[in-house]
Amino acid sequence: MKRRSLLLGTATLTLSQLAAGCESKPSLKIRSLKNAIPAQLVSKFSLDSKPSSVLQVTQSTQLTELFALLQDWKRSPQTKNQADLVMLGDYWLTLAIRQELIRPIDPQKFSNWPQIPERWRTLVRRNNEGQLDPKGKIWATPYRWGSTVIAYRTDKFKALGWTPTDWKDLWREELRDRLSLPNNAREVIGLTLKKLGKSYNTQDLDKISHLKTELAKLHQQVKFYSSDAYLQPLILGDTWLAVGSSADILPLLVTQKDLAVVVPLAGTALWTDLWVEPASGNPVPLVAKWINFCWQPSVAPQLSLLSKVSSPIVVGMKPENLPAEVRTNPVLLPDAKILDRSEFLLPFGDVAIAQYRSHWEEMRQVIKS
């Protein structure tokens, strides 16, 4: 899925102002997704650093742009203004390793590394082919995470007399031609697999009985497929339910009172944004300071609240040590049982990718009745 667009007021201006006039201070050059770093945390990091330092944050609107920058820097390593640290989505990690765009990271540099939940540490431990490997190197540090959620219009569902709680609800007759789904085979086939009690990361789809039938039925329910233009139709009531990223949907709830969101009971797809160090650059001591800062128990909940996207640190924190706004938010911090049933989308080989593509194309060709 294409991700994510958050609106945090004057964050871009504030970041520029913080960087201005600080050339004499130690600096860390960061390339991030737009509005992924709340300006309040940038200011706090600069003030808390000894000696005082500054983050020079340049923002991009899409993760694809950040991946392309890594490729450009490898081709032209002498390019000026290379970043010391770059944000990548977990989807891009395999490609970045294979193409030798990033270098391994020594977790011993990070005092809070043991506080990162095991599933995130496992996710970034890879071999040189970018595949998960318990004996592999650490290639990235987790920064924040979210999930694929169900958003729906409360006014429409009030008339129906029920509200969605799980993937199986997407197949209910009342929602015929009322849904929007991501334009993404892994997500749509994955949620169908979860409905059938299987894993998002099932590779041999031909062994799953009734899968094609379920996909064909789901297609009948869909008004359109989109990963980045699905919110406005939901706001206008053209669709009653949409499947999308929590990072897209949570900020809308502040102003759109007719919208609600739920993490499916069967579990869902997780994504995470990571920090990586470009292979074309030189190690910078402030990298460890920034990452350790983000992982502080006093900072991680603030990151979650300000950006509406969770820090992995909050997953392992005691509830009494979390602000109520995080502790009681079932999207920022889903129930532990739901989170246990949820999964990162892991890298596939060519055979599995071909199977997903074949099922996706066959599903989309079903004629709606």
Side-chain angles (χ1 to χ4, degrees), residues 31-52:
R31 285 277 191 166
S32 81
L33 196 63
K34 186 177 180 180
N35 295 324
I37 305 177
Q40 297 93 324
L41 295 191
V42 174
S43 178
K44 180 173 173 55
F45 173 76
S46 298
L47 293 173
D48 289 355
S49 297
K50 305 297 181 186
S52 179

Side-chain angles (χ1 to χ4, degrees), residues 14 44 165 254 306 321 356 359 365:
T14 305
K44 180 173 173 55
T165 60
V254 176
L306 291 167
N321 294 332
Y356 273 73
H359 278 67
Q365 291 170 2

